[in-house]
Amino acid sequence: MKEEKMKLPKITLDDFFTTQEERDNKNREYVKMIPVNEITNFPNHPYKVRDDDEMFSMAETVKQFGVIHPVIVRPKENGGYEMISGHRRKRACEIAGVTQIKAIVREMTDEEATIAMVNSNNQREKILPSERAFAFKMKMEAMKRQAGRPKKEENENSAPLEQNFIGKTTRELIAEETGESSSNIQRFIRLTELIPELLKLVDEEKMKLRPAVELSYLTKEEQQQVFDAIEYTDAFPSHPQAIKMKKLSENGSLTMEEIDDILEQEKPNQIPKFKIPEDKVEQYIPKEYKSMEEKEDYIVHCVKETSERERKQKQKQNEYMR
């Protein structure tokens, strides 16, 4: 009778260079083509998807070559998929008339999905303060929920629980990941308490971060009064002025009259501003100049070029008249 040989398990390179947890997670995902209309956007997605020139250019590329990098989605309980990373690529497909998109389908908890969604968008070149604010808030809340959830299996949730015991707050962990300071993370999250009108001023770079943070402690009614006063006076609060408004609010004595008086006060080293209505020059500024600072620099450059050209013309005329 032949001796039966013992069957040994097949060993792969993954067994040497990955942990069991990483191999388990790998089994939780796969790649497939998915109809675009079966993918819904992430709930309360903090990053804006704009139908601008850049988006239409992306749509043209998608029409010619398809989506090169697959999006990341997770399956929904009642069918279909939820977008984690790739909202702009999905929108480009919709504009281009592309009906299917290559996707990595990954099983994720709500907390894992939120953290992955925020992390994947941190690589964008241009992120508005409001986008950063709501993204940081969503990630912090997800990390706190994740750290507080009891483990169901041996490897589940081990890292977040360990983070609680190494003496670091969730805000400090986000700061390490993003390169922002812990205090700046806190400031950005405070922006989520602003009314939309004031938050828009921060996005448009008309109001600085620090005074905006101080105004976030005002009641919604007081914030609306501040916005109305800004619209009327065309003056934006400095950091000290915003602190003064906050203190008056805490004492219950911030009135419309006080707000007007504070905004009308001349700021230290204040330089009178030469103002041009935006609608008068917007059509002449190239689309690639998006922020107010970039637009101002372009206008100043044009003025300098025109002034130099006129100076040379006058110089030639004077030489001719001699």
Side-chain angles (χ1 to χ4, degrees):
M1 185 175 178
K2 291 183 180 180
E3 186 178 345
E4 190 174 332
K5 292 182 179 180
M6 183 183 294
K7 290 185 178 180
L8 298 175
K10 186 178 179 181
I11 298 176
T12 66
L13 287 175
D14 274 354
D15 295 316
F16 289 106
F17 299 110
T18 61
T19 64
Q20 182 61 46
E21 183 177 5
E22 288 171 334
R23 292 194 292 275
D24 290 342
N25 286 335
K26 188 176 179 181
N27 294 330
R28 297 169 63 197
E29 67 178 47
Y30 53 91
V31 180
K32 65 177 292 189
M33 295 297 293
I34 295 176
V36 173
N37 61 9
E38 289 186 12
I39 306 174
T40 59
N41 292 336
F42 195 91
N44 300 316
H45 188 245
Y47 301 96
K48 296 179 176 66
V49 177
R50 304 172 184 85
D51 287 349
D52 51 17
D53 290 344
E54 188 177 347
M55 174 58 71
F56 290 115
S57 175
M58 182 187 291
E60 282 298 316
T61 302
V62 168
K63 187 182 293 185
Q64 293 182 44
F65 307 106
V67 175
I68 299 172
H69 300 289
V71 300
I72 301 176
V73 301
R74 68 167 178 162
K76 295 164 66 176
E77 288 185 6
N78 300 322
Y81 303 87
E82 182 179 277
M83 185 68 79
I84 303 299
S85 174
H87 290 78
R88 296 179 76 249
R89 280 166 281 173
K90 175 195 168 194
R91 179 58 185 151
C93 285
E94 291 171 341
I95 295 173
V98 175
T99 58
Q100 290 200 327
I101 190 169
K102 190 175 184 180
I104 298 171
V105 183
R106 183 177 298 167
E107 293 283 350
M108 282 184 272
T109 64
D110 291 345
E111 291 76 22
E112 289 171 336
T114 299
I115 293 169
M117 179 274 296
V118 174
N119 289 347
S120 67
N121 281 279
N122 277 338
Q123 309 305 318
R124 289 190 180 190
E125 291 183 11
K126 177 69 174 177
I127 304 178
L128 295 174
S130 62
E131 296 174 329
R132 206 178 292 272
F134 284 101
F136 284 156
K137 184 177 182 179
M138 289 176 72
K139 182 174 181 178
M140 178 179 286
E141 291 174 349
M143 290 175 70
K144 286 180 178 179
R145 290 195 304 270
Q146 192 179 53
R149 192 179 74 244
K151 291 193 291 184
K152 295 179 182 178
E153 298 176 5
E154 183 64 27
N155 291 320
E156 183 184 355
N157 203 36
S158 57
L161 284 173
E162 181 185 357
Q163 289 165 351
N164 277 352
F165 295 114
I166 60 178
K168 292 184 179 179
T169 64
T170 308
R171 191 171 71 235
E172 289 171 336
L173 293 171
I174 296 175
E176 288 181 1
E177 292 176 7
T178 59
E180 295 278 356
S181 66
S182 178
S183 57
N184 237 24
I185 297 292
Q186 185 179 24
R187 291 188 187 103
F188 275 114
I189 292 176
R190 276 303 313 179
L191 294 183
T192 62
E193 301 298 326
L194 285 174
I195 60 174
E197 293 87 348
L198 289 178
L199 188 54
K200 185 180 179 184
L201 295 179
V202 182
D203 281 345
E204 293 173 344
E205 300 181 5
K206 294 179 180 178
M207 185 161 60
K208 301 295 185 183
L209 177 63
R210 286 176 177 261
V213 168
E214 301 299 333
L215 295 180
S216 72
Y217 290 94
L218 274 55
T219 67
K220 302 302 181 187
E221 183 180 352
E222 290 169 339
Q223 289 185 38
Q224 187 61 54
Q225 290 177 336
V226 171
F227 175 75
D228 292 341
I230 289 173
E231 287 279 278
Y232 179 75
T233 62
D234 199 22
F236 299 90
S238 64
H239 191 208
Q241 288 175 332
I243 291 175
K244 187 174 182 180
M245 291 183 194
K246 178 185 173 184
K247 289 181 178 178
L248 289 171
S249 175
E250 291 172 345
N251 297 331
S253 55
L254 183 63
T255 63
M256 194 68 193
E257 290 74 20
E258 287 284 358
I259 294 171
D260 287 337
D261 288 344
I262 291 171
L263 287 178
E264 287 172 0
Q265 292 170 6
E266 188 173 344
K267 300 176 181 66
N269 303 320
Q270 187 173 19
I271 301 173
K273 291 184 178 180
F274 179 72
K275 299 175 183 177
I276 305 174
E278 191 172 355
D279 58 352
K280 285 189 175 182
V281 296
E282 187 71 26
Q283 59 181 316
Y284 305 110
I285 301 175
K287 297 294 183 183
E288 60 263 28
Y289 300 103
K290 293 181 172 60
S291 70
M292 292 300 294
E293 185 177 357
E294 289 173 336
K295 292 177 181 179
E296 287 177 6
D297 288 343
Y298 178 77
I299 292 171
V300 171
H301 171 74
C302 291
V303 171
K304 284 182 179 179
E305 287 285 316
T306 303
S307 177
E308 181 64 17
R309 187 164 55 250
E310 290 180 351
R311 185 189 66 80
K312 288 180 180 179
Q313 288 176 348
K314 287 182 180 179
Q315 187 176 9
K316 286 182 180 180
Q317 289 175 354
N318 292 335
E319 290 175 355
Y320 177 78
M321 295 295 291
R322 286 175 186 172

